[in-house]
Amino acid sequence: MDRNDHHGHLEYDAVEFETGVPRPRQVKITVVVQYTRKTTDGDYDAGRGQKIGVITAYCHNQQGNKCPAWAKL
């Protein structure tokens, strides 16, 4: 785990490499996870005994932080 606010908000960083091409590209990815039953603002509740899980994933230095098609998350 790369960042943890100690209230269930976790962020993981990774690097994705393009495969099967002579000159592979790479892109940095962040995955955001809410590992609690409820969000801090109370808008979402996964239910008793459940965790919310992955909130979003995005690619850095890409237009709109949208991952390229070759990056299969």
Side-chain angles (χ1 to χ4, degrees), residues 11-45:
E11 293 186 14
Y12 297 89
D13 293 324
V15 177
E16 175 92 21
F17 293 92
E18 185 179 27
T19 58
V21 295
R23 294 180 51 146
R25 296 172 283 185
Q26 68 180 29
V27 66
K28 292 180 182 178
I29 298 169
T30 296
V31 178
V32 179
V33 177
Q34 185 67 36
Y35 195 68
T36 57
R37 174 183 169 178
K38 296 180 183 180
T39 55
T40 53
D41 61 9
D43 283 349
Y44 298 95
D45 185 339

